Amino acid sequence: MLDVDRRTARRAFSDLRVEAPDPAELVAAMRAERNKSRVLVGLLGWMGLLSALELLMGTWLYDYAARAGFGAGGIAEASLFDRVSLGLVWVRLVSSVVTGVMFLQWVRLVVRHARRFGLYRSRALRFDVESATWVWLIPIVNWFRPYALMSSVSASSDPSVLPSPDLEERRALGSYRQAAWVRHRVENPLPSVPLKRWWVLFLAARGAQRLMFNAEAYLEDAVSVRRFAYVSLLDGALWIAAAIAAVALVRAIHARRAELHRRAEHWSRLVYQQPASP
């Protein structure tokens, strides 16, 4: 049985035209990606919370504008709103930079490991580490090329390029008197990657953010303040949805990569005749 599995392992890596990776390097790669993805998910959750606070601020502003139209809006309340909203803007700005940097680091790490081990089908990954960074930073380009990048990252994280090491025995078809058993490989279901949903919500949130910046310059009366409150509500809601979609995206890609690395480690240990990891 072991010889059969070892031949399967060699054939699996030869089909990808790569050498079996070092199991220790695979374990280190899995650990690094897991740690970064956990930090990134936490930061994205924090950004979603800040967007929820922006939603509350928009509700507060709309209520204040409605009361101001009837002469019930106070100067003290307007001053308090300005201070709170300014603080929220700065917290969101710093958090956005930190989250963006962590997202870039996570993407760069995934691309680096994919290039390093080559555990993907031909032409599934069309980016290197440098281009995976610049597509987010170049104006105009960053409105469409990041989708192609994340599509490549998702495609290069497909664990089905290697056979599943999980087996179960089933009774062979035939007479009930026969006691023959056959082995079947078990393919555990993996979460789908919500790539299109994340990208549409991300672009919509960026557009609403630009719209809010433009509307902020024309706060002259209660009507314009109410209009700005509408835009703020839309911006907050879209960024909440985008944060949730981004969390789902990162978790789905990480789950696929964890399964890919688990399979690669199993078969590489057979190639190198190493004992299975505990």
Side-chain angles (χ1 to χ4, degrees):
M1 189 71 69
L2 185 60
D3 290 337
V4 173
D5 288 343
R6 190 169 293 136
R7 286 197 298 270
T8 301
R10 293 196 180 98
R11 191 180 306 116
F13 291 116
S14 64
D15 287 345
L16 293 176
R17 298 180 180 179
V18 296
E19 294 183 358
D22 184 0
E25 293 183 359
L26 280 171
V27 171
M30 283 191 292
R31 187 179 298 114
E33 289 189 19
R34 183 187 65 229
N35 294 339
K36 268 198 168 46
S37 65
R38 285 178 177 177
V39 174
L40 178 57
V41 166
L43 288 172
L44 289 170
W46 170 248
M47 290 300 300
L49 178 61
L50 292 179
S51 298
L53 292 177
E54 181 187 351
L55 203 62
L56 292 176
M57 293 294 293
T59 305
W60 181 9
L61 180 61
Y62 177 81
D63 178 68
Y64 174 80
R67 287 185 285 110
F70 293 99
I75 298 177
E77 184 180 0
S79 177
L80 176 61
F81 179 85
D82 287 340
R83 292 197 299 270
V84 174
S85 60
L86 181 61
L88 180 60
V89 166
W90 278 106
V91 172
R92 279 198 63 180
L93 178 61
V94 174
S95 300
S96 298
V97 172
V98 174
T99 305
V101 170
M102 180 55 65
F103 191 89
L104 275 177
Q105 289 184 355
W106 174 71
V107 172
R108 284 170 58 91
L109 184 66
V110 170
V111 172
R112 184 182 300 113
H113 287 165
R115 290 288 184 184
R116 179 180 179 182
F117 300 123
L119 302 176
Y120 55 87
R121 293 186 179 90
S122 177
R123 295 186 296 276
L125 186 62
R126 296 169 291 168
F127 295 83
D128 55 21
V129 176
E130 288 73 21
S131 60
T133 303
W134 288 112
V135 295
W136 299 94
L137 304 178
I138 301 176
I140 300 177
V141 173
N142 59 13
W143 282 89
F144 59 93
R145 286 299 286 173
Y147 179 82
L149 166 64
M150 297 309 298
S151 180
S152 291
V153 168
S154 177
S156 63
S157 303
D158 183 9
S160 65
V161 297
L162 293 174
S164 173
D166 300 326
L167 297 170
E168 67 177 12
E169 290 187 337
R170 296 177 182 175
R171 191 179 296 276
L173 297 177
S175 172
Y176 68 92
R177 292 188 177 89
Q178 295 177 345
W181 293 80
V182 294
R183 299 195 309 166
H184 290 267
R185 297 201 179 277
V186 180
E187 292 286 345
N188 296 318
L190 291 170
S192 59
V193 180
L195 191 61
K196 293 182 180 179
R197 186 191 318 154
W198 161 76
W199 187 241
V200 168
L201 289 171
F202 178 67
L203 289 183
R206 287 182 65 183
Q209 192 173 45
R210 287 177 176 269
L211 185 64
M212 188 175 69
F213 288 155
N214 294 333
E216 191 175 10
Y218 301 98
L219 297 179
E220 299 175 351
D221 51 22
V223 175
S224 61
V225 171
R226 193 179 297 115
R227 188 182 303 115
F228 177 75
Y230 284 138
V231 177
S232 179
L233 288 171
L234 177 64
D235 181 70
L238 285 174
W239 277 114
I240 291 174
I244 294 174
V247 168
L249 175 76
V250 173
R251 288 172 62 90
I253 290 178
H254 174 69
R256 289 173 173 270
R257 294 196 60 77
E259 175 64 16
L260 174 63
H261 287 166
R262 185 182 73 91
R263 296 183 181 191
E265 183 192 2
H266 173 84
W267 297 117
S268 63
R269 287 187 183 278
L270 286 176
V271 171
Y272 291 112
Q273 300 183 22
Q274 295 183 7
S277 59

